[in-house]
Amino acid sequence: MKHVRRFTPSLFLSLVHVCLVQANYAPYFFDNGARSTNGNMALFSLSEDTPVGTHVYTLNGTDPEGDPVTYGLAYEAGSRRYFSVDKNLGNVTLIEELDREKEDEIEVIVSISDGLSTVSEKVRILVMDANDESPEFINTPYIVQVPENTPSGSSIFKIEAVDKDTGSGGSITYFLQNIHANKFTIDRHSGVLRIKTGVTLDYEKSRTHFVVVVAKDGGGKLRGDNKVFSATTTVTVNVDDVQDTPPMFIGTPYYGYVYEDTLAGSEVLTVVALDGDRGKPNSIHYCIVNGDEGSFEIGNTTGAISVIKSPNQLKKEVYELKVQASEVSQEGDVSVYAFAVVTIRVVDLNNHPPTFYGENGPQNRFELTMYEHPPEGEILRGLKITVNDSDQGANAKFNLRLVGPGGIFRVVPQTVLNEAQVTIIVENSAAIDYEKFKVLTFKLLAIEVNTPEKFSSTADVVIRLLDTNDNVPKFSSDYYIARIPENSPGGSNVVAVTATDPDSGLWGEVKYSIYGTGADLFLIHPSTGIIYTQPWAVLDAEVNSKYNFYVKAEDTDGKYSLAEVFITVLDVNDHSPEFNENIQEKTMIIGSPVKIEAIDQDAEEPNNIVDYSIMQADPANVFDIDQSTGEIKLKSYIRSLDIIHNITKNKDCIWSLVVQAKDRGSPSFSTTAVLKIDITEETLHKGPMAAFLMQTKDNPMKALGVLAGVMGIMVLITIMISTAMFWRNKRSNKITPVRRIIKKRQTPQPRAVRMEWLKFKRPSNAAEKFVVEDDSKSLHNENSNNNIQVAPVPPMAPVPPPPPALAPRGDTPGWRVPTVSGTLTPKFINKQLKKRGHGSAHNALVSELKLKFEKRNAAIGEPHI
């Protein structure tokens, strides 16, 4: 029997696995060449300036079976990790900064895996150079010793610098800073430092030179830009001295002094000479060649010059010595030498200060008495001053000056040698003023000019001034303003003026006087300057409220000044208000007021401001009065005569009022008067003639005069027109047609229009006091009635009697107001007394006019008043 093996699922899987294992192939990298950035990184190079984090390469390979592959990077033990890789994508990223100068090759193990097989390769990555290094000098610092006699053009030193970069970035060239100011040059390739051609070194002029050398590379790329780096160093060149310079004197020129108290053998001065070769100097030997004349000697090694004679034996005032300084070598040989001139002056010792002398010997105080304001340029001859310095030469030269109030006097001379007479001259006469200075005190100072001691001396100059009458009395103000009440009694003080004269004695005494047109009522005290009224003077502000005159201040010599005085007389309430007439009669048209007026003759407010009031009326409570204007009108409920007739049984409607006019002064004065008012209703007639007749019904002469004037003007105009036409026709040669004459004839204007331009100036006599107003203007009569029409010419009325004379004003008890002075200017009030009203004689004319109006209105059927 044949054995059959059973097939199970597990057996199937094993067979499949065996088949797969046997068919798997290893993955592999693509090799894309040396310049490729995609493959296995073989022959890959990277610049050292590549920034960290840069994607520098992509590992790329495949699996023969097409399985997905992963990538990896590995390093030898101890090696720095420069790269990282994305295992899935193969992107290689730089993670560590590169530096070619430290490591120019990097070994990396790259791998590729398909999950079953892994293939690894070791690759070498080359790090490429970038110009990231600067040149560096080696063997610094550079210090060179050069003898001063080294020939020009000689090489003195070689400078060396290195650069770790390769290529042009590692090549170096050399040059010097400030090449034009240097005494050296450098070979740009080798770095050899030389002395410039035609230039020599001099130890005596400059012992050290500092040469700044710059080393610069050839430049190269760094992070995409072309960079050039450089470095600097300083070469110190020390110049060595060589014996090639003669000795030199220092501190020249040489001056010495022999004073009158110098002892023989004393040292006058020392000369010093040094070898010009300071590095290795020779010793110096001194000697006097000539000019000493046996009076001076010098130390051979020290150079100290001494006088060997006493000063009084020296015959010359100035000696000039020629001194020689020679170099002596170590062997004792004299090589080179130099000369210097030494000037020695025999001088007097400055041991005497300047001294002032008077007539009796040395003196340090001088006094003088003189009048103020002497002429400018005058010499103060009363001062006898001499100044002297007993030294000789420059020691006896000194300056003179005055110390004190400047600009008043000057001293002559200002510079003195040995001795001089001192003169003081007036320079500013105005400043020599007794009123400012009773005594002028100065210091006369003498001080030496060119001596180190600057000896000096002083003397006091005291000038006592005498007064002269050189001032004019001067008022404290150019004008004085005063006020005084009008009721001040005679002899009252008004104002005090003050003037001063700074002169002394009698010249300073001031006498006052007044003059001018306004000074008649005033007097002034000659000594005190108090202005007061004449004993008999009576001031009245209503007559004259302003006075103006001049006041004079005069000294004993007749010098004087003026001031102006303004005096205002203050008004006092000493007048009572006065009505135009004691008893007045007014005609009142219902609806129109009548006006009363009173005048207060005081000069100023509030004394001349009048308030009106009704003291008594029968019957009462019918009239109102305006307190300020004096207008009287009926109560507002009274609008017709019927209401009046209901109030009173008096059919003639004439009422009596007691009115009062009271001023606002303190104390206050008042006046009362009886006023009769005839009440009537307004006429229906309108027009300017009716208004004019109502205005003139109390004065028929006025209406008659206006009518006569109008007729006369019309006649005059007619005559002028006729005359003009006559002369025109007479001059014409032609006979003018009648219709032409009619055409040229002017149409007469209406009567009302003609009257518009017939305006008269106020005449001087009573018969011509008429003015024909324009129709547009209201004509007001005395009682403020303007509705009455013009009636025919009324008959002549009898001439009214003259107005009664004003009763003399009683003397009011005097009351005293203190005098007030100040700068206020009172208001000027021009007062014009109003004329008296017409008397009661006009009542007959009014009645007659009223009757004529009633008859005329009855005839034409119009209502009557």
Side-chain angles (χ1 to χ4, degrees), residues 680-684 694 788 850 853-854 857 863-865:
T680 182
E681 285 186 335
E682 183 178 6
T683 181
L684 297 179
M694 288 300 297
I788 301 176
K850 185 175 180 181
F853 290 153
E854 291 176 352
N857 293 335
H864 64 276
I865 298 175

Side-chain angles (χ1 to χ4, degrees), residues 614-739:
I614 298 175
M615 304 299 295
Q616 183 180 352
D618 186 19
N621 200 25
V622 174
F623 297 96
D624 286 330
I625 188 168
D626 189 294
Q627 179 181 354
S628 302
T629 63
E631 286 188 350
I632 301 174
K633 56 185 177 181
L634 294 171
K635 294 289 186 178
S636 59
Y637 67 89
I638 301 177
R639 298 184 178 88
S640 66
L641 285 176
D642 295 336
I643 299 175
I644 298 295
H645 294 158
N646 293 333
I647 296 175
T648 178
K649 298 179 179 180
N650 188 3
K651 301 303 180 180
D652 58 3
C653 300
I654 297 178
W655 291 358
S656 296
L657 302 178
V658 178
V659 294
Q660 182 188 59
K662 183 178 182 180
D663 63 28
R664 297 183 184 180
S666 179
S668 178
F669 295 98
S670 63
T671 301
T672 59
V674 178
L675 174 64
K676 292 183 179 181
I677 298 179
D678 181 9
I679 301 177
T680 182
E681 285 186 335
E682 183 178 6
T683 181
L684 297 179
H685 296 284
K686 305 295 183 180
M689 292 301 296
F692 176 74
L693 290 177
M694 288 300 297
Q695 182 179 7
T696 59
K697 69 178 182 178
D698 293 334
N699 189 356
M701 293 300 297
K702 183 175 181 181
L704 183 61
V706 169
L707 183 59
V710 171
M711 294 178 65
I713 291 173
M714 293 178 64
V715 171
L716 180 61
I717 292 174
T718 302
I719 294 173
M720 292 175 62
I721 293 174
S722 302
T723 304
M725 293 179 64
F726 171 77
W727 284 106
R728 180 180 179 185
N729 294 333
K730 185 176 181 180
R731 292 177 181 177
S732 176
N733 296 326
K734 297 180 180 181
I735 299 176
T736 306
V738 175
R739 60 177 177 270

Side-chain angles (χ1 to χ4, degrees), residues 500-516:
T500 57
D501 191 328
D503 290 321
S504 62
L506 295 176
W507 292 325
E509 294 181 1
V510 179
K511 181 180 179 181
Y512 301 96
S513 60
I514 59 175
Y515 67 94

Side-chain angles (χ1 to χ4, degrees), residues 260-552:
E260 58 181 345
D261 58 350
T262 303
L263 300 178
S266 300
E267 182 179 326
V268 178
L269 79 160
T270 299
V271 296
V272 178
L274 299 177
D275 187 354
D277 303 310
R278 303 293 179 85
K280 299 176 181 179
N282 291 325
S283 59
I284 304 297
H285 181 271
Y286 301 96
C287 66
I288 298 176
V289 178
N290 56 42
D292 62 326
E293 297 184 7
S295 301
F296 302 91
E297 64 180 6
I298 188 170
N300 293 332
T301 57
T302 61
I305 299 176
S306 303
V307 59
I308 58 179
K309 293 181 180 179
S310 61
N312 56 5
Q313 293 177 335
L314 299 178
K315 299 179 180 179
K316 296 174 64 177
E317 187 175 342
V318 178
Y319 291 85
E320 291 186 352
L321 310 182
K322 186 176 182 181
V323 179
Q324 176 179 308
S326 304
E327 286 188 20
V328 180
S329 64
Q330 295 180 357
E331 294 78 13
D333 298 330
V334 177
S335 57
V336 291
Y337 51 83
F339 297 98
V341 176
V342 178
T343 302
I344 298 177
R345 183 180 299 274
V346 181
V347 296
D348 177 51
L349 186 64
N350 185 29
N351 52 5
H352 297 92
T355 305
F356 292 99
Y357 294 88
E359 294 180 345
N360 299 321
Q363 188 175 334
N364 59 5
R365 182 180 178 86
F366 301 89
E367 296 186 7
L368 174 67
T369 301
M370 59 181 290
Y371 285 101
E372 62 177 340
H373 304 304
E376 293 183 3
E378 181 175 310
I379 298 174
L380 305 186
R381 304 186 185 278
L383 295 176
K384 306 292 184 180
I385 306 174
T386 303
V387 64
N388 174 269
D389 190 330
S390 57
D391 290 322
Q392 300 297 320
N395 292 335
K397 185 178 181 180
F398 54 92
N399 288 337
L400 284 176
R401 69 171 182 262
L402 282 174
V403 180
I408 300 178
F409 299 99
R410 61 186 175 91
V411 62
V412 176
Q414 295 183 353
T415 302
V416 180
L417 183 62
N418 291 116
E419 184 175 300
Q421 183 74 31
V422 179
T423 301
I424 297 178
I425 301 175
V426 176
E427 195 170 40
N428 186 358
S429 176
I432 307 174
D433 193 347
Y434 176 84
E435 285 70 36
K436 295 180 180 178
F437 309 101
K438 303 295 187 295
V439 178
L440 291 171
T441 303
F442 298 88
K443 288 282 188 182
L444 185 58
L445 173 64
I447 182 170
E448 293 178 345
V449 179
N450 298 321
T451 63
E453 296 82 7
K454 298 292 183 183
F455 289 138
S456 64
S457 61
T458 60
D460 293 326
V461 178
V462 180
I463 300 175
R464 304 185 187 279
L465 298 180
L466 300 177
D467 192 22
T468 60
N469 189 20
D470 60 332
N471 291 284
V472 176
K474 186 176 181 181
F475 282 97
S476 59
S477 176
D478 293 334
Y479 58 88
Y480 295 88
I481 299 175
R483 296 184 296 173
I484 182 172
E486 64 178 341
N487 63 347
S488 300
S492 298
N493 291 345
V494 180
V495 66
V497 299
T498 303
T500 57
D501 191 328
D503 290 321
S504 62
L506 295 176
W507 292 325
E509 294 181 1
V510 179
K511 181 180 179 181
Y512 301 96
S513 60
I514 59 175
Y515 67 94
T517 56
D520 298 339
L521 299 181
F522 303 93
L523 296 174
I524 188 170
H525 194 281
S527 300
T528 62
I530 297 175
I531 298 175
Y532 54 93
T533 59
Q534 293 273 12
W536 47 265
V538 177
L539 302 178
D540 191 346
E542 290 74 35
V543 176
N544 190 1
S545 62
K546 298 291 182 182
Y547 294 91
N548 172 224
F549 53 86
Y550 290 93
V551 59
K552 177 180 180 182

